[in-house]
Amino acid sequence: MAMDALPRVLVLHGPNLNMLGQREPQIYGHTTLADINAMLVALGRELGVEVETFQSNHEGELVGKIQAARGHMAAVLINGGAYTHTSVAILDALLAVDLPVIEVHLSNLYKREEFRHHSYIARAAVGQICGFGADSYLLGLRAAVAIIQRKQ
Ligand code: CA2
């Protein structure tokens, strides 16, 4: 008997997030990106979704990955890094792909510099989770799964 494929969640990490755990631990914590990805894959398994992770320091690569998600992914979880505050291209890709988007950030954007208070990604997102460190991603994945299950 053919098994139904699990819904897939695409997790995108923007620029500089590959340095997590190596610099500025007072802001971003000691957890590495590999740790976060492993926790997301494990939680996804528990919750019945397949998690695919991707990090890039290049805006166009992130746009390409978002475009390719259409028809293959059930939701997109994104920490756009600094592109959050600058990228209309990422916003347009997220709007075009027509999937539930959950925006996450390690730090609390609203306690930081004014320029971090505006997110282009927020316009395409169901919601935003920020300020909980690595747990922001795990909470975001739970939110994505709740949305996917409601649709099934
Ligand atoms: O809090 C977040 O998750 C951010 O998306 C992180 C971005 C920042 O530009 C956003 O305003 C908020 C920066 C990611 C840089 O990550 C680093 C990790 C370790 C060392 C240096 C930077």
Side-chain angles (χ1 to χ4, degrees):
M1 192 189 353
M3 297 280 283
D4 280 348
L6 291 178
R8 306 185 75 205
V9 177
L10 176 63
V11 179
L12 293 175
H13 309 283
N16 296 309
L17 287 160
N18 54 311
M19 293 195 299
L20 270 185
Q22 298 163 35
R23 302 270 162 78
E24 301 190 78
Q26 69 286 0
I27 303 177
Y28 298 117
H30 291 277
T31 313
T32 67
L33 195 61
D35 293 335
I36 290 176
N37 287 340
M39 289 191 284
L40 286 167
V41 169
L43 179 62
R45 218 169 272 146
E46 253 177 58
L47 301 178
V49 296
E50 195 182 318
V51 170
E52 178 184 328
T53 65
F54 179 76
Q55 188 276 331
S56 179
N57 295 324
H58 303 278
E59 190 175 26
E61 282 186 5
L62 292 162
V63 167
K65 204 72 187 169
I66 294 164
Q67 288 180 2
R70 202 184 159 91
H72 301 284
M73 296 289 167
V76 179
L77 187 66
I78 180 166
N79 181 351
Y83 287 146
T84 303
H85 318 297
T86 63
S87 181
V88 177
I90 290 176
L91 167 64
D92 285 345
L94 290 170
L95 290 172
V97 82
D98 198 24
L99 288 171
V101 174
I102 293 92
E103 178 181 3
V104 299
H105 297 281
L106 297 153
S107 62
N108 182 345
L109 302 180
Y110 308 98
K111 275 183 159 178
R112 301 187 65 192
E113 305 94 322
E114 196 82 27
F115 67 84
R116 295 186 205 273
H117 297 185
H118 177 260
S119 164
Y120 282 99
I121 289 171
R123 288 187 78 97
V126 179
Q128 184 193 67
I129 299 166
C130 73
F132 298 95
D135 283 340
S136 293
Y137 282 93
L138 301 175
L139 292 165
L141 182 59
R142 287 185 185 278
V145 171
I147 292 165
I148 292 166
Q149 284 173 347
R150 234 177 279 137
K151 284 187 170 184
Q152 277 174 341

mmCIF file of all heavy atoms in Angstrom, residues 6 15 31 34 82 91 97 100 147:
data_model
loop_
_atom_site.group_PDB
_atom_site.id
_atom_site.type_symbol
_atom_site.label_atom_id
_atom_site.label_comp_id
_atom_site.label_asym_id
_atom_site.label_seq_id
_atom_site.Cartn_x
_atom_site.Cartn_y
_atom_site.Cartn_z
ATOM 1 N N LEU A 6 4.463 12.939 3.786
ATOM 2 C CA LEU A 6 4.231 13.918 4.858
ATOM 3 C C LEU A 6 4.241 15.325 4.272
ATOM 4 O O LEU A 6 4.998 15.600 3.332
ATOM 5 C CB LEU A 6 5.349 13.829 5.899
ATOM 6 C CG LEU A 6 5.407 12.578 6.764
ATOM 7 C CD1 LEU A 6 6.616 12.642 7.695
ATOM 8 C CD2 LEU A 6 4.127 12.408 7.567
ATOM 9 N N PRO A 15 20.848 36.060 5.629
ATOM 10 C CA PRO A 15 22.290 36.336 5.717
ATOM 11 C C PRO A 15 22.835 36.371 7.145
ATOM 12 O O PRO A 15 22.172 36.861 8.055
ATOM 13 C CB PRO A 15 22.432 37.711 5.050
ATOM 14 C CG PRO A 15 21.065 38.279 5.004
ATOM 15 C CD PRO A 15 20.113 37.137 4.959
ATOM 16 N N THR A 31 23.561 28.784 20.572
ATOM 17 C CA THR A 31 23.108 27.677 19.716
ATOM 18 C C THR A 31 23.559 27.918 18.277
ATOM 19 O O THR A 31 23.433 29.035 17.763
ATOM 20 C CB THR A 31 21.563 27.590 19.772
ATOM 21 O OG1 THR A 31 21.164 27.652 21.132
ATOM 22 C CG2 THR A 31 21.056 26.301 19.174
ATOM 23 N N ALA A 34 23.344 24.696 12.893
ATOM 24 C CA ALA A 34 23.205 23.228 12.750
ATOM 25 C C ALA A 34 22.356 22.662 13.889
ATOM 26 O O ALA A 34 21.522 21.769 13.664
ATOM 27 C CB ALA A 34 24.585 22.578 12.729
ATOM 28 N N ALA A 82 18.841 40.254 8.025
ATOM 29 C CA ALA A 82 18.774 41.683 7.701
ATOM 30 C C ALA A 82 17.880 41.967 6.488
ATOM 31 O O ALA A 82 17.346 43.079 6.362
ATOM 32 C CB ALA A 82 20.182 42.222 7.455
ATOM 33 N N LEU A 91 9.728 39.763 -0.149
ATOM 34 C CA LEU A 91 8.286 39.963 0.091
ATOM 35 C C LEU A 91 7.488 39.518 -1.133
ATOM 36 O O LEU A 91 6.519 38.755 -1.012
ATOM 37 C CB LEU A 91 7.989 41.437 0.409
ATOM 38 C CG LEU A 91 6.494 41.804 0.368
ATOM 39 C CD1 LEU A 91 5.713 41.061 1.440
ATOM 40 C CD2 LEU A 91 6.306 43.304 0.505
ATOM 41 N N VAL A 97 4.054 33.029 -3.936
ATOM 42 C CA VAL A 97 4.062 31.576 -3.766
ATOM 43 C C VAL A 97 2.773 31.075 -3.105
ATOM 44 O O VAL A 97 2.429 29.901 -3.197
ATOM 45 C CB VAL A 97 5.337 31.154 -2.995
ATOM 46 C CG1 VAL A 97 5.177 31.319 -1.502
ATOM 47 C CG2 VAL A 97 5.788 29.776 -3.370
ATOM 48 N N PRO A 100 1.208 29.493 3.434
ATOM 49 C CA PRO A 100 1.293 30.112 4.751
ATOM 50 C C PRO A 100 2.753 30.395 5.116
ATOM 51 O O PRO A 100 3.608 29.510 5.004
ATOM 52 C CB PRO A 100 0.683 29.083 5.706
ATOM 53 C CG PRO A 100 0.307 27.900 4.905
ATOM 54 C CD PRO A 100 0.603 28.149 3.458
ATOM 55 N N ILE A 147 -1.453 25.333 11.304
ATOM 56 C CA ILE A 147 -2.107 25.867 10.092
ATOM 57 C C ILE A 147 -2.296 24.752 9.067
ATOM 58 O O ILE A 147 -3.367 24.622 8.460
ATOM 59 C CB ILE A 147 -1.262 27.020 9.493
ATOM 60 C CG1 ILE A 147 -1.276 28.223 10.437
ATOM 61 C CG2 ILE A 147 -1.768 27.406 8.112
ATOM 62 C CD1 ILE A 147 -0.196 29.253 10.132
#
